[in-house]
């Protein structure tokens, strides 16, 4: 199950084992070993940020690093 966590500001993500691909609207993190996308960070025009993932360790890290505004299940 994919979880969308909406944050007031962009979190600091110190993730080992991931390749970061930066785009104009956000970032994509892929697992270096499995070559699979596991985290997507989307920047909104109002300054909020959505993080999409199904990794519990990433969710824990995100919750500790920023102010959570909302959570959605996809």
């Amino acid at each position: 199950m994919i979880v969308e966590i909406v944050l007031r500001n962009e979190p600091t993500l110190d993730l080992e084992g991931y390749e970061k691909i930066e785009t104009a609207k956000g970032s994509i993190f892929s697992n270096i070993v499995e070559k699979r996308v596991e985290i997507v960070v989307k920047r909104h025009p109002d300054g909020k940020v959505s993080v999409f993932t199904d990794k519990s360790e990433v969710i824990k890290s995100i919750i500790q690093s920023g102010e959570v505004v909302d959570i959605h299940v996809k």
Side-chain angles (χ1 to χ4, degrees):
M1 160 181 338
I2 301 294
V3 177
E4 175 189 8
I5 302 170
V6 182
L7 301 162
R8 190 158 315 279
N9 298 311
E10 190 160 353
T12 303
L13 297 175
D14 295 328
L15 303 171
E16 294 184 29
Y18 291 95
E19 175 186 16
K20 182 178 182 179
I21 303 165
E22 193 70 36
T23 70
K25 300 285 183 178
S27 306
I28 300 165
F29 293 86
S30 61
N31 183 308
I32 294 172
V33 175
E34 296 177 13
K35 306 289 186 199
R36 295 178 53 104
V37 171
E38 295 185 353
I39 306 160
V40 174
V41 178
K42 179 182 176 187
R43 294 182 203 101
H44 299 278
D46 63 0
K48 293 180 184 166
V49 177
S50 289
V51 180
F52 299 87
T53 188
D54 65 348
K55 301 292 181 190
S56 62
E57 66 273 8
V58 174
I59 293 170
K60 288 177 188 176
S61 173
I62 290 167
I63 290 172
Q64 293 173 353
S65 70
E67 183 182 345
V68 177
V69 176
D70 205 353
I71 297 173
H72 304 278
V73 178
K74 303 278 182 175

